[in-house]
């Protein structure tokens, strides 16, 4: 009999065991990214996003949905994620992942998925640009990491790297996963 697990209930050690992931640390993404300095306008926008979030967090915990609305969505707009060729999907079901040795099926939902819609890696599977998992402000942002690893697992068979972001509005964890763990 197969066991079905929701991806959000997996621990990080379970994900590492089920998918064979290994940790590799780097001090910086600088060698992987070529980032330009923020313009004055972009800096003003980032400051406004921080002030808007601070206004909410100063009076109460901020829900997951509000974290997305106040921080993640404005930052994605600022970074150009709403423009072609990127396509954003929200709360999209994750196709089932079957773990043969474990007799286990994992299901879940992406909070936010950004794909390159003009670069398919096989029919109906697009190149994952970024996966985002948001948590409410009272939860450690790292709590979304096991979900993101699970979501990345399937596509790492078809592309070399996947980037992700976990956030609770106050802390941001940006990671890169490479195939062939």
């Amino acid at each position: 009999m197969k066991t079905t697990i929701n991806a959000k209930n997996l621990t990080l050690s379970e994900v590492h065991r089920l998918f064979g992931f290994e940790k590799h640390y780097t001090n910086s993404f600088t060698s992987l990214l070529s980032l330009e300095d923020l313009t004055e306008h972009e800096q003003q926008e980032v400051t406004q996003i921080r002030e808007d979030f601070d206004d909410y967090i100063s009076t109460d915990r901020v829900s997951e949905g509000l974290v997305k609305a106040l921080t993640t969505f404005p930052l994605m707009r600022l970074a150009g994620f709403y423009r072609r060729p990127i396509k954003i999907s929200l709360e999209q079901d994750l196709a089932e992942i079957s773990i043969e040795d474990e007799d286990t099926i994992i299901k879940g939902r992406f909070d936010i998925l950004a794909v390159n819609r003009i670069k398919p890696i096989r029919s109906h599977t697009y190149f994952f640009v970024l996966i985002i998992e948001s948590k409410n402000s009272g939860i450690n942002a790292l709590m979304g990491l096991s979900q993101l690893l699970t979501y990345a697992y399937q596509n790492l068979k078809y592309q070399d790297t996947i980037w992700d972001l976990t956030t609770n509005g106050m802390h941001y964890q940006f990671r890169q996963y490479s195939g062939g763990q």
Side-chain angles (χ1 to χ4, degrees):
M1 181 172 160
K2 287 200 182 249
T3 303
T4 301
I5 302 171
N6 189 315
K8 70 180 181 180
N9 296 330
L10 288 171
T11 65
L12 198 50
S13 65
E14 288 172 321
V15 171
H16 282 266
R17 181 181 56 78
L18 288 169
F19 301 125
F21 281 113
E22 295 176 10
K23 295 178 191 177
H24 298 279
Y25 295 99
T26 181
N27 291 331
S28 172
F29 286 118
T30 308
S31 64
L32 303 172
L33 300 171
S34 57
L35 300 175
E36 298 175 18
D37 291 338
L38 294 179
T39 65
E40 185 176 329
H41 169 74
E42 291 168 335
Q43 186 59 52
Q44 289 170 351
E45 288 289 316
V46 169
T47 299
Q48 185 63 56
I49 292 166
R50 183 187 66 226
E51 289 173 359
D52 291 344
F53 184 79
D54 285 349
D55 187 47
Y56 278 83
I57 195 69
S58 67
T59 58
D60 200 3
R61 183 181 346 193
V62 179
S63 71
E64 178 181 322
L66 202 48
V67 166
K68 286 187 265 190
L70 290 170
T71 64
T72 309
F73 293 148
L75 287 170
M76 289 177 68
R77 179 189 46 77
L78 192 59
F81 274 94
Y82 299 147
R83 293 183 213 117
R84 284 185 126 347
I86 305 298
K87 181 181 178 189
I88 303 296
S89 297
L90 302 176
E91 294 294 332
Q92 177 141 349
D93 284 331
L94 169 69
E96 290 183 356
I97 296 174
S98 293
I99 309 300
E100 306 279 329
D101 323 356
E102 300 286 331
D103 209 24
T104 301
I105 296 173
I106 300 172
K107 293 184 176 189
R109 294 178 68 85
F110 298 110
D111 272 0
I112 303 170
L113 172 65
V115 298
N116 184 330
R117 61 180 159 189
I118 62 170
K119 187 178 180 182
I121 50 180
R122 65 181 177 124
S123 67
H124 306 307
T125 301
Y126 290 97
F127 186 83
F128 282 29
V129 177
L130 177 67
I131 306 169
I132 300 174
E133 180 64 33
S134 300
K135 297 296 181 190
N136 78 52
S137 63
I139 296 177
N140 186 323
L142 287 176
M143 295 303 291
L145 184 56
S146 58
Q147 285 173 263
L148 291 171
L149 283 167
T150 302
Y151 304 154
Y153 172 76
Q154 198 77 355
N155 259 47
L156 283 172
K157 294 176 186 174
Y158 307 109
Q159 67 187 73
D160 294 333
T161 61
I162 295 176
W163 294 89
D164 79 32
L165 169 69
T166 59
T167 183
N168 62 7
M170 296 176 294
H171 300 104
Y172 295 80
Q173 293 289 319
F174 192 55
R175 298 184 186 279
Q176 178 214 25
Y177 304 107
S178 298
Q181 274 68 22

